[in-house]
Amino acid sequence: MKELSVLIPTYNDDCTHLVSTLQQQAEKLGTAYEIIVADDGSSDQETVRRNRSINDVPHCRLIERHENAGRAAIRNFLAQQARYPFLVFIDADMVVPHDDYLRRYASHPCETVIDGGIMVREGNGPQHTLRYQYEKSAEGSHLVSDRRKHPYQHFHTANFLVARTVMLEHPFDERFRRYGFEDVFFGKQLKEHQVVVEHIDNPLSFEIFEDNASFLNKTEEGLRTLHQFQQELLGYSGLLHVVSRLRHFGLLPLVRCWHRLFGGCERNRLQKGHYSPILFQLYRLGYFLGL
């Protein structure tokens, strides 16, 4: 049974329920464990105040950082703080749907990297938002059978186990400060260094969905990140593959023109909740080409 450091980076998320759930599971493992939440300079001080109760839970602690270091740096920091040989990284907005979630990781024989996957369920927040519809439409790609076909391209940071030695030797690239693609680049690094990535059926659940405006802003931020690192992410982004095909057929000027004319209308429809996969991907493509 693996000794685990469960690591949760957070920014303006109340982690108290998540930590309580994980601590109850960890207590049943019969092995050493710790749960560390690292607050990456949250602006919501009431949330920070609530999270301080984590320090009262056995084997759990909250680390408060007063400046936002970014999604890559906060994970590297957590790995450095951890004391046990195996690290379980969990995004703060995820929900644990199974009582044996930690046990599946602790008992699995793989000792490099394990991706547990995600699932999508309706939660207590706003239902059928743009984010919910997007995640629901992509649910098939989260199945373990699909992830195993391209284990490095399908790596996600929301839910994974990694040996601490692997993480310290191959840290997240801290140039990725803004939202998006730090996990994709990490997967690329693992492939280049021939680190085995195993995919198993041990999902966390998406049940908390931001409003449409926030999701569109986050999507655009991710596209700016992709634009910044596009040369390094070739072969690891479906959007870059589409751009390459359009360039081959000389269609990029047409798509740019379309976005200049209709991109605003597309964004308004999406923000109002009129989601379709084609509309969303067309808007993403046009926005990316307009950068």
Side-chain angles (χ1 to χ4, degrees):
M1 195 72 72
K2 297 180 175 73
E3 296 180 336
L4 301 178
S5 290
V6 182
L7 308 176
I8 307 171
T10 184
Y11 181 80
N12 289 340
D13 291 294
D14 185 337
C15 301
T16 54
H17 180 72
L18 177 60
V19 168
S20 176
T21 300
L22 292 166
Q23 194 266 347
Q24 291 175 38
Q25 289 195 15
E27 281 292 309
K28 299 175 183 177
L29 293 178
T31 188
Y33 77 91
E34 64 179 347
I35 300 174
I36 307 174
V37 177
D39 184 281
D40 196 21
S42 289
S43 59
D44 185 345
Q45 293 306 304
E46 176 58 27
T47 298
V48 175
R49 186 193 63 78
R50 288 196 297 270
N51 281 337
R52 286 174 182 150
S53 66
I54 291 168
N55 291 317
D56 299 325
V57 182
H59 307 288
C60 302
R61 60 187 171 118
L62 171 71
I63 301 175
E64 297 181 41
R65 291 165 62 91
H66 300 294
E67 293 185 7
N68 185 270
R71 296 168 61 86
I74 193 65
R75 290 183 171 88
N76 291 340
F77 170 78
L78 277 164
Q80 293 161 4
Q81 294 295 310
R83 69 178 70 175
Y84 294 119
F86 292 95
L87 317 178
V88 178
F89 278 92
I90 299 174
D91 278 1
D93 59 352
M94 304 303 286
V95 177
V96 182
H98 301 299
D99 293 338
D100 61 346
Y101 166 76
L102 286 181
R103 181 170 295 278
R104 293 186 195 185
Y105 272 147
S107 60
H108 196 279
C110 179
E111 295 193 347
T112 50
V113 181
I114 309 173
D115 188 315
I118 61 173
M119 59 190 295
V120 183
R121 299 195 305 190
E122 294 187 8
N124 297 322
Q127 301 303 305
H128 302 291
T129 61
L130 182 61
R131 177 66 181 272
Y132 171 81
Q133 294 177 85
Y134 168 73
E135 296 294 351
K136 200 67 178 175
S137 69
E139 199 168 23
S141 65
H142 300 317
L143 296 175
V144 66
S145 57
D146 195 74
R147 289 186 279 123
R148 284 174 175 167
K149 295 176 184 177
H150 303 283
Y152 298 97
Q153 286 85 347
H154 282 292
F155 176 82
H156 296 288
T157 56
N159 171 28
F160 73 102
L161 176 144
V162 57
R164 187 171 184 269
T165 53
V166 170
M167 184 71 183
L168 294 180
E169 187 174 352
H170 308 290
F172 282 91
D173 191 320
E174 296 190 9
R175 293 176 300 160
F176 288 79
R177 290 185 57 86
R178 299 185 300 185
Y179 176 81
F181 294 95
E182 79 284 349
D183 51 354
V184 178
F185 192 75
F186 185 68
K188 179 184 177 181
Q189 289 180 298
L190 295 177
K191 183 177 182 180
E192 289 176 346
H193 290 91
Q194 300 180 322
V195 177
V196 173
V197 175
E198 178 67 66
H199 287 265
I200 67 171
D201 185 23
N202 191 26
L204 292 176
S205 178
F206 267 125
E207 299 182 18
I208 304 169
F209 306 101
E210 63 265 66
D211 60 58
N212 295 345
S214 297
F215 179 58
L216 282 172
N217 290 336
K218 186 181 288 185
T219 297
E220 291 165 352
E221 184 178 10
L223 291 169
R224 293 192 294 272
T225 300
L226 178 61
H227 186 268
Q228 180 182 355
F229 296 101
Q230 58 183 298
Q231 294 302 317
E232 295 167 271
L233 292 171
L234 289 174
Y236 286 79
S237 163
L239 187 69
L240 291 181
H241 176 72
V242 171
V243 170
S244 177
R245 297 297 294 168
L246 291 173
R247 181 180 292 112
H248 176 76
F249 291 106
L251 296 175
L252 292 185
L254 178 62
V255 177
R256 288 193 179 98
C257 180
W258 175 277
H259 187 74
R260 284 195 298 270
L261 293 172
F262 302 110
C265 295
E266 292 169 351
R267 197 184 198 284
N268 287 336
R269 285 186 60 81
L270 289 167
Q271 187 160 326
K272 291 177 181 177
H274 300 293
Y275 176 80
S276 78
I278 294 176
L279 175 64
F280 186 61
Q281 296 306 330
L282 183 60
Y283 178 74
R284 292 178 69 242
L285 177 61
Y287 184 91
F288 179 82
L289 292 176
L291 292 172

